[in-house]
Amino acid sequence: MSVPKAYLKKNRKKRLEHGHPWVFPGEIEKIEGDPKGGDVVHIVNHVGHFLAQGFYNPRSQLIIRVVSYSEEQEIDQEMFYQKIEQAWKRRQWLVPEAKSCRVVHGEADFLPGLIIDKYDDILVVQILSLGIEIRRQWVYDALMKIFKPRGIYERSDVPVRKLEGLELREGFVNEPFDTTATVIENGIKISVDVAEGQKTGYFFDQRENRAALKPLITGWGLKNGIELNEEGLPVDPKGKVIKNPFWNGAEVLDCFSHTGSFMLHSCLYGAKKVTCVDISDKAIEMAKGNALLNGFLHRTEFIAANAFDYLREQVNAKRKWDIVILDPPAFAKNRQAIEGAVRGYKEINLQGMKLVRNQGILITASCSYHLSSARFFSMLQEAAADAHKVLRLVEFKRAGLDHPVLLGSEETDYLKFAIFEVFNR
Ligand code: SAH
């Protein structure tokens, strides 16, 4: 039986050839054969030249998702095993110290719509495409064989599944097990409940970005006017020796703190005091628990509040921090929502940079892939203009090594993370 063929139109953008992993309905000229949803089809150009094999889903705007660029490749259980094993080997190569990381990152690991995160000895699976959905037993079998995990938990409970015509699903794949795990990252312990957390529980994508805080955290006591006496001990303006061992560490504001991962890294690297703000009581409890777990509780402060209100209130109160961190959720869930989202990003960044002491640091991120890096930077420039600040870039980073980016697919390049020095103007 021959595999159904999807002929692409002659006059289309050559996106697929440029590495983009999706075909949209408008790009298809005709379909030969009678594929059902989830079936494999061969994608060919207008003259029938083979381009790729993909999973077909007529209910989705992503009508075909590329799974292999080889015509000979059998799309079978063995292929799933091989791809997952390769993805894992890549992580062991690039992030060898990480026992917890993203193992499979969907399209960028050539498994469209499949996310696998490893939390020590627990695996969390998220399936976002019909092609993987109907073959999911192959995924579970491969995971059991490669990792021999304590358990597999499925978090296919995200609304985007509806766009594929899929119901939401969450729960144990096999036997129930304790769903809490401890992630160790850059020497920090983070307790995660994979059944409870956002997304699949923890945001591995900022591992390297959190580590980038290291050189920024100390030196602030001296910058802020604390002097050393003849014995080299820090003294306050009255000449009294300061006992706080973290006297030279930064005062940090961590907005949208969730697990508190930025707070934890700040404390690890020597912060004097970190204020965490999150709208969710549950998130605040989680961050507090993590501070306790790492022995940082006495250097932290927790506030359950809407960051938009909190930032404005602190500006009015003329409070200042050495470092302000803004790691908001994706404000733009789709392309249409972009301009509204930009206003939101601009507002928090504008207020956030006003709270930074002169020559302090603003750390700001956006995980909306609809917001391009260029628009992210222009938004920051507009905010800086309004706040009478000049920003000097220290670092610009993306998602970490376990979140590969396909050059042809801007969707896989969603995370923007920038560190700025903030100067008064
Ligand atoms: N920095 C976090 C990840 C941020 S996730 C970490 O390191 O784990 C986004 C967080 O923003 C969520 O915890 C959510 O509860 C919180 N949030 C969403 N809207 C908010 C708002 N308006 N004010 C404050 N927090 C908000």
Side-chain angles (χ1 to χ4, degrees):
M1 212 180 70
S2 71
V3 182
K5 270 187 194 162
Y7 285 80
L8 301 189
K9 287 182 177 157
K10 185 173 179 202
N11 295 320
R12 66 185 159 96
K13 266 203 188 149
K14 301 252 179 311
R15 238 173 333 161
L16 198 111
E17 290 88 331
H18 291 151
H20 193 265
W22 299 335
V23 174
F24 298 99
E27 296 176 302
I28 296 182
E29 180 68 49
K30 63 171 177 180
I31 293 186
E32 248 176 41
D34 186 20
K36 292 189 299 299
D39 281 355
V40 171
V41 296
H42 281 188
I43 308 164
V44 299
N45 72 6
H46 64 286
V47 293
H49 177 74
F50 175 86
L51 296 174
Q53 301 194 62
F55 291 132
Y56 178 69
N57 182 1
R59 292 191 55 177
S60 172
Q61 273 307 299
L62 316 181
I63 190 165
I64 309 173
R65 299 188 183 213
V66 172
V67 68
S68 174
Y69 292 104
S70 154
E71 195 167 4
E72 288 78 43
Q73 174 70 56
E74 292 290 335
I75 312 299
D76 56 8
Q77 179 152 16
E78 178 59 20
M79 183 205 78
F80 270 61
Y81 179 86
Q82 297 279 346
K83 287 196 180 210
I84 293 172
E85 194 187 39
Q86 265 173 28
W88 174 226
K89 281 194 174 146
R90 184 179 184 279
R91 274 60 178 187
Q92 288 177 296
W93 168 49
L94 293 173
V95 262
E97 70 290 349
K99 291 200 163 45
S100 301
C101 65
R102 175 147 298 183
V103 173
V104 171
H105 189 46
E107 277 66 358
D109 280 296
F110 308 110
L111 284 164
L114 177 65
I115 304 292
I116 300 170
D117 283 338
K118 179 175 183 292
Y119 293 87
D120 192 20
D121 54 358
I122 296 177
L123 294 167
V124 180
V125 175
Q126 188 168 74
I127 296 170
L128 307 172
S129 68
L130 177 62
I132 302 282
E133 172 85 359
I134 61 174
R135 295 170 180 84
R136 63 184 183 275
Q137 193 57 45
W138 294 353
V139 173
Y140 305 147
D141 288 348
L143 295 180
M144 292 305 288
K145 220 162 130 188
I146 297 167
F147 296 95
K148 301 181 183 58
R150 180 151 64 82
I152 308 177
Y153 197 83
E154 182 152 354
R155 284 297 299 267
S156 296
D157 55 347
V158 282
V160 287
R161 271 177 61 98
K162 296 198 180 130
L163 303 178
E164 287 277 304
L166 300 170
E167 296 297 315
L168 308 198
R169 186 175 58 240
E170 184 198 333
F172 298 102
V173 166
N174 300 313
E175 298 301 306
F177 57 92
D178 173 8
T179 54
T180 55
T182 303
V183 170
I184 307 215
E185 182 186 273
N186 308 316
I188 289 278
K189 284 184 239 148
I190 299 138
S191 167
V192 177
D193 186 341
V194 301
E196 287 289 329
Q198 289 201 343
K199 295 211 186 158
T200 72
Y202 182 67
F203 301 94
F204 292 125
D205 54 0
Q206 304 240 43
R207 177 191 309 102
E208 290 85 346
N209 301 346
R210 289 183 276 255
L213 264 58
K214 191 172 181 180
L216 310 173
I217 301 289
T218 59
W220 297 95
L222 291 174
K223 265 195 212 175
N224 291 330
I226 292 180
E227 293 185 3
L228 302 179
N229 65 13
E230 305 84 67
E231 293 160 69
L233 298 172
V235 289
D236 67 15
K238 288 183 185 146
K240 198 163 158 263
V241 172
I242 297 170
K243 293 273 167 57
N244 182 350
F246 300 101
W247 65 273
N248 207 14
E251 290 174 357
V252 181
L253 173 61
D254 177 10
C255 273
F256 308 93
S257 54
H258 192 55
T259 57
S261 70
F262 284 99
M263 166 272 290
L264 297 168
H265 282 74
S266 301
C267 288
L268 173 71
Y269 300 137
K272 186 164 139 196
K273 180 88 187 233
V274 187
T275 307
C276 286
V277 178
D278 199 290
I279 201 165
S280 142
D281 292 323
K282 234 172 152 179
I284 288 292
E285 280 315 306
M286 188 161 41
K288 219 184 249 181
N290 284 325
L292 181 67
L293 186 64
N294 289 278
F296 298 150
L297 207 49
H298 60 294
R299 282 192 278 153
T300 51
E301 168 185 41
F302 298 90
I303 292 153
N306 185 331
F308 284 84
D309 301 334
Y310 182 82
L311 290 166
R312 220 170 299 133
E313 285 159 18
Q314 300 310 305
V315 169
N316 290 336
K318 302 209 167 13
R319 195 158 164 200
K320 296 280 180 192
W321 279 269
D322 300 312
I323 299 180
V324 171
I325 302 171
L326 304 170
D327 182 26
F331 291 158
K333 303 277 187 212
N334 55 55
R335 209 169 292 277
Q336 293 71 38
I338 266 289
E339 281 316 308
V342 168
R343 279 193 294 279
Y345 286 118
K346 183 180 165 191
E347 168 66 12
I348 56 167
N349 280 283
L350 172 72
Q351 305 301 343
M353 60 184 85
K354 284 187 187 167
L355 292 175
V356 176
R357 291 196 176 102
N358 191 27
Q359 300 193 34
I361 299 277
L362 174 74
I363 297 179
T364 181
S366 164
C367 56
S368 297
Y369 74 68
H370 301 286
L371 183 70
S372 66
S373 302
R375 190 70 189 92
F376 178 65
F377 280 122
S378 66
M379 172 278 293
L380 288 166
Q381 224 159 17
E382 289 160 25
D386 290 2
H388 294 273
K389 303 285 179 187
V390 172
L391 300 181
R392 183 160 77 184
L393 187 61
V394 179
E395 275 207 75
F396 179 57
K397 295 166 75 74
R398 317 190 113 84
L401 294 166
D402 50 347
H403 290 63
V405 170
L406 287 179
L407 197 57
S409 165
E410 51 193 33
E411 292 82 2
T412 56
D413 188 18
Y414 60 99
L415 184 65
K416 292 146 293 281
F417 175 89
I419 301 176
F420 292 102
E421 291 164 278
V422 181
F423 296 88
N424 289 342
R425 174 173 69 80

